Amino acid sequence: MSNYESNATVVPAARPRSTVKTVTSLAMLVALTYIAMVISKMLPQFSGFLQFEIKGTVIAIGGFLFGPLSAAVISIVVAFIEMFTVSDTGVIGCVMNLLAACAFACPAAYIYQKMRTRKGAVAGLAVGVVALTVTMLLWNYLITPIYMHMDRAVVAAMLPTVFLPFNLVKGGLNAALTLVLYKPVVTALRKARLVPERETAQSGERFDAGFLLFSFALLATFVLLVLVLVGKI
């Protein structure tokens, strides 16, 4: 009986510490996502009104670490903060930002949680890019005529020529950045003792030099595509 009582006092004590670390990590990721969003405002626009963004990278990393629900929470919090601080697109912009972030990061995080390997990371991010593209094609068709005061037929004609390449490249850019930055971010959080031990124990295959080279090559490809789309090269 005494052994049971001692265990009952130890286990609950460990859980609050783990919860505090998780909340602290998520708060930091929210801050980093907001910073990434602000930096994205400096990136060139495509077709005069579509903004390339890199905040999906931080949200995906958060999802890889803590699961798809955490990715959704980060997306929601940052979308609302953005709406009340630097955005001039109001509620519509908030909804579109939230949909884009969740469509990319949540499927990627879900697949990676099921398969914590390099293949799982690549597969999850690839699915995230496809989910982002399909979701935003649908919602741009529904919302853009209202927001931009354009005829729906005009917007429909823009889907394959404007919205499709934009979302594919934006998603690919965030996917490549996630592959490049995930390992350094996890290492930094581990040193700060903010990543649960289960993350290090179940992290799967190491992100070796060959995979890092692949990630940088992928990133360079999508950076070049961004420059092509915005007419810089």
Side-chain angles (χ1 to χ4, degrees):
M1 184 69 177
S2 60
N3 288 339
Y4 176 82
E5 291 175 351
S6 63
N7 289 338
T9 58
V10 171
V11 173
R15 289 178 179 174
R17 286 197 293 270
S18 177
T19 301
V20 169
K21 288 182 179 180
T22 300
V23 171
T24 302
S25 298
L26 290 176
M28 184 181 66
L29 288 168
V30 166
L32 290 174
T33 303
Y34 184 83
I35 292 171
M37 178 271 298
V38 173
I39 293 174
S40 297
K41 301 292 184 183
M42 305 175 189
L43 298 178
Q45 292 185 332
F46 178 52
S47 291
F49 66 100
L50 295 174
Q51 181 69 62
F52 284 103
E53 291 182 329
I54 57 173
K55 67 182 180 183
T57 299
V58 186
I59 299 173
I61 290 173
F64 277 18
L65 285 170
F66 301 109
L69 180 59
S70 296
V73 170
I74 296 171
S75 302
I76 293 169
V77 172
V78 173
F80 274 95
I81 295 175
E82 179 180 357
M83 180 176 66
F84 290 110
T85 55
V86 299
S87 176
D88 57 0
T89 57
V91 176
I92 292 179
C94 177
V95 171
M96 296 295 278
N97 286 331
L98 177 58
L99 288 169
C102 288
F104 171 69
C106 291
Y110 177 80
I111 291 174
Y112 184 69
Q113 289 287 307
K114 298 296 182 180
M115 186 168 51
R116 287 179 172 272
T117 63
R118 290 177 296 183
K119 290 182 179 179
V122 173
L125 290 167
V127 171
V129 173
V130 173
L132 165 68
T133 303
V134 173
T135 300
M136 298 317 294
L137 283 177
L138 172 62
W139 282 93
N140 275 301
Y141 176 75
L142 295 174
I143 297 298
T144 302
I146 301 171
Y147 177 69
M148 298 294 294
H149 305 290
M150 299 171 65
D151 187 86
R152 195 171 298 276
V154 175
V155 174
M158 294 171 63
L159 292 180
T161 59
V162 176
F163 294 111
L164 177 63
F166 170 77
N167 285 293
L168 280 175
V169 172
K170 185 177 80 168
L173 178 65
N174 279 279
L177 280 170
T178 302
L179 293 177
V180 170
L181 296 177
Y182 178 70
K183 178 68 173 180
V185 170
V186 172
T187 300
L189 290 175
R190 185 181 300 138
K191 289 181 178 178
R193 300 183 182 278
L194 293 176
V195 174
E197 289 299 324
R198 55 186 170 85
E199 167 63 24
T200 61
Q202 299 178 2
S203 58
E205 302 173 46
R206 294 186 303 169
F207 282 65
D208 56 23
F211 187 76
L212 189 61
L213 182 61
F214 161 77
S215 301
F216 273 112
L218 192 64
L219 176 59
T221 300
F222 281 101
V223 169
L224 287 174
L225 286 173
V226 169
L227 294 175
V228 169
L229 286 182
V230 299
K232 296 297 183 181
I233 59 175

